[in-house]
Amino acid sequence: MKYDAIVIGSGAGGGIAACVLAEAGKTVLLLERGRQLSLADVPRDHLRNHRLSQYGHGTGPDLEGNPRLLNGKECNPIQDGYNNNASCVGGGTLVYGMQAWRFHPLDFRMATTYGVPDGSSLADWPISYDDLEPFYERAEWEIGVSGGKPAPEMPSRRPYPMPGVPQTTKAKRLADGCTRLGWAFQTTPLLMNTVPRQGRGACSQCQHCVGFACPTDAKNGTHNTVIPRALATGRCEMITEAIVSTITKSPGGKVSGVSYYDREGVQHTAESEVVVVACGAIETARLLINSGIGGDGVGRHLQGHYYAIAGGYMPEPIWDGVGPGVSISTLKFNHGNEGVIGGGMMSDDFIMLPIKFEKSFRPPGVPAWGQAHKDWMKKYPRFVQVGGPVHEIPSSECRVTVSNEVRDKWGIPVASLSGTTHPETVATTLFLIERAKDWLAASGAESIHAGVPGLGLSAGQHQAGTCRMGEDPLTSVVDMNCRVHGHDNLFIADSSVHVTNGGFNPVLTIMALAFRTSEGIIRSW
């Protein structure tokens, strides 16, 4: 069958692309490698979730038959280094933490602002904040963002459609700390209903948020906003458990559609006028390489986010059980830090599962069992953590390729990840860790501690950069409209096009770019 457009991936970018194209009157095939999951399919299991997946995650991909390589070593979806994103209808938006940040205007001009460090591939975006601003607003209103006024470090904007979450007990203490330090702060913006909206309920303030599906359907993702709209047109067909192996081309080299396997392992070919790839930075690069598209630039500049995090203990219990837990942020150090390239946002964190606290913050010398362990765990209600994503400095040698030997259960060469971030990323992280400690100390915390970051590959759930946007086909993969160079009907609608990944959670930028790219496709049709 032939369609006007095929969209590969139903996450933050792909779901929006399918909706915009279908509502514009185009016939769309939406292919998703995962399943359509209900709340019952994503249990509140503290050891099997997308925040802590020691024994599984419930949101895909399957643990068997989906390997990747990290520096030549094979790993599965719940092992360190796999850098797993959820694989289901809605992608990561089904279980994400919902932080809905716009990138700072300077995030689009990092090379101009700071220069290019030796050994890095730092570059400016070919578009500006102003180019993306109307699409940020569209994402905030169509998908649904709650929050308050912007921090003074950010441009003014239209108010969000919903009020922000109330401050938790720990956030009130952190607000006092900001006041003592003279730091401005704001309510953390979230892609979440704080009031009933669009026929769905409001947040119930439960204790299982990031890593889990929402029991009141208040978590706004593509699975419950734009994908239902696309399907309601009658012009969008969605096939789940569909594994795309290659993007197909006509004898003349023009992209003609895709080849994919269904859930039974039967191979199919679908044709279309336009193909939109939205598989996430790792899998999009893998698909383009396996299809012989994009040249040597595909897979390079892989980024994620180092996190600058510090923890400490308040003198009294501050745990109030009010979810989602994150409610205060400061952008004081996002830019303008002497001797530091970029910076990052810092906030409090979501409610931490007790087992996550035990695994991540147990001090040296405290045993993993017995009375001493119990005594330490009693500190959990006094614990507070702050931190956030650091603006990474990319390297062209931090990259995705495909394996010559290892294949998945469908026989497709798997992604192989290699390289490290740039040393300046570590320097920025160390700087922000000290600011996180300052914040905790000013808020009254004691026994403040933090890990020491080393140089490594960073490509976690904020993965980005492998199909860089730019004007020159020799140094980029897509143009400023996210069209793959040399292919007038092939587009990318995910974070792989990010030149840099901001000092923020990137999902709102993915959504804004997807709206912009999809509208551009319609205009040029």
Side-chain angles (χ1 to χ4, degrees):
M1 185 171 177
K2 187 165 186 177
Y3 301 83
D4 292 326
I6 296 173
V7 179
I8 311 168
S10 68
I16 286 172
C19 179
V20 171
L21 295 174
E23 290 187 337
K26 305 301 180 182
T27 57
V28 178
L29 174 62
L30 177 58
L31 297 172
E32 167 56 50
R33 71 176 295 177
R35 298 183 294 123
Q36 178 101 50
L37 299 176
S38 67
L39 180 64
D41 295 320
V42 191
R44 294 185 170 194
D45 186 327
H46 286 206
L47 292 174
R48 295 172 181 83
N49 62 79
H50 234 87
R51 191 71 156 178
L52 179 61
S53 53
Q54 181 167 332
Y55 298 114
H57 41 57
T59 40
D62 293 339
L63 303 188
E64 300 298 325
N66 289 289
R68 285 178 181 164
L69 298 182
L70 174 62
N71 293 321
K73 183 178 180 181
E74 190 171 326
C75 52
N76 70 35
I78 63 170
Q79 289 178 304
D80 291 342
Y82 191 94
N83 297 301
N84 185 28
N85 275 339
S87 176
C88 55
V89 174
T93 70
L94 180 71
V95 295
Y96 65 168
M98 310 166 292
Q99 292 201 35
W101 297 99
R102 297 183 180 195
F103 281 4
H104 189 283
L106 292 182
D107 293 349
F108 298 88
R109 296 287 179 269
M110 288 289 288
T112 296
T113 303
Y114 296 101
V116 180
D118 290 344
S120 80
S121 56
L122 190 63
D124 291 342
W125 291 55
I127 62 173
S128 69
Y129 174 89
D130 290 341
D131 293 320
L132 209 50
E133 194 279 335
F135 300 100
Y136 275 132
E137 183 176 301
R138 183 172 176 181
E140 288 160 354
W141 279 79
E142 290 195 28
I143 309 300
V145 172
S146 59
K149 295 180 180 179
E153 294 85 0
M154 292 294 286
S156 61
R157 52 160 171 77
R158 181 185 181 188
Y160 294 132
M162 291 175 284
V165 295
Q167 279 193 348
T168 61
T169 300
K170 73 177 185 322
K172 291 175 182 176
R173 292 291 300 270
L174 291 169
D176 290 342
C178 281
T179 300
R180 292 188 186 98
L181 292 166
W183 299 356
F185 59 90
Q186 69 173 80
T187 303
T188 305
L190 299 172
L191 284 146
M192 183 186 79
N193 287 356
T194 51
V195 295
R197 187 171 187 265
Q198 295 181 340
R200 291 181 289 108
C203 172
S204 63
Q205 299 185 316
C206 76
Q207 299 170 27
H208 295 77
C209 190
V210 62
F212 299 90
C214 180
T216 61
D217 208 18
K219 188 176 292 191
N220 297 327
T222 55
H223 62 290
N224 58 4
T225 58
V226 286
I227 291 175
R229 282 169 47 186
L231 297 175
T233 66
R235 291 182 291 272
C236 178
E237 177 186 358
M238 180 170 68
I239 300 177
T240 60
E241 298 178 79
I243 308 298
V244 178
S245 57
T246 55
I247 299 166
T248 57
K249 290 172 279 189
S250 68
K254 184 181 178 68
V255 166
S256 59
V258 302
S259 177
Y260 69 94
Y261 293 92
D262 65 20
R263 69 189 65 182
E264 305 299 330
V266 177
Q267 192 167 20
H268 303 265
T269 298
E271 297 182 342
S272 64
E273 295 296 323
V274 167
V275 173
V276 180
V277 186
C279 308
I282 293 173
E283 290 299 319
T284 285
R286 176 194 178 199
L287 177 58
L288 262 63
I289 294 169
N290 281 331
S291 303
I293 292 173
D296 183 63
V298 174
R300 294 190 180 274
H301 322 291
L302 176 63
Q303 300 160 64
H305 270 137
Y306 269 49
Y307 262 72
I309 293 174
Y313 301 93
M314 292 297 181
E316 73 288 333
I318 57 164
W319 187 85
D320 56 15
V322 175
V326 59
S327 62
I328 184 172
S329 304
T330 180
L331 309 188
K332 173 70 174 177
F333 302 102
N334 203 258
H335 284 282
N337 306 302
E338 186 176 355
V340 174
I341 298 176
M345 173 274 297
M346 294 193 297
S347 71
D348 59 347
D349 204 358
F350 296 86
I351 287 181
M352 183 178 294
L353 304 177
I355 188 65
K356 180 70 172 175
F357 170 70
E358 197 281 337
K359 286 182 172 296
S360 299
F361 291 96
R362 180 161 55 87
V366 173
W369 63 89
Q371 188 60 48
H373 183 268
K374 291 179 180 179
D375 290 343
W376 170 72
M377 281 295 295
K378 290 177 183 178
K379 292 183 176 182
Y380 171 69
R382 298 195 285 118
F383 181 75
V384 61
Q385 170 182 282
V386 296
V390 168
H391 205 137
E392 292 200 6
I393 307 306
S395 165
S396 66
E397 297 307 311
C398 191
R399 64 187 300 195
V400 177
T401 57
V402 298
S403 173
N404 293 324
E405 294 84 24
V406 181
R407 295 174 180 260
D408 64 17
K409 62 184 176 183
W410 298 274
I412 306 168
V414 304
S416 178
L417 315 181
S418 60
T420 71
T421 188
H422 192 274
E424 289 289 352
T425 301
V426 178
T428 304
T429 305
L430 289 168
F431 169 81
L432 282 168
I433 285 173
E434 293 306 310
R435 305 294 76 75
K437 291 179 178 179
D438 292 342
W439 191 7
L440 290 171
S443 303
E446 306 164 342
S447 302
I448 298 167
H449 56 278
V452 179
L455 193 63
L457 183 145
S458 174
Q461 293 173 5
H462 293 180
Q463 60 192 237
T466 57
C467 296
R468 171 176 281 194
M469 184 194 299
E471 298 175 353
D472 185 353
L474 296 178
T475 58
S476 61
V477 176
V478 302
D479 64 17
M480 63 185 298
N481 298 310
C482 295
R483 186 195 312 262
V484 176
H485 293 304
H487 298 277
D488 62 3
N489 63 337
L490 177 61
F491 297 82
I492 297 178
D494 61 29
S495 58
S496 62
V497 305
H498 293 188
V499 180
T500 49
N501 207 26
F504 300 96
N505 306 57
V507 69
L508 196 72
T509 299
I510 297 170
M511 290 175 169
L513 278 169
F515 275 120
R516 181 178 183 271
T517 299
S518 304
E519 290 293 348
I521 294 171
I522 296 299
R523 287 195 303 271
S524 65
W525 208 295

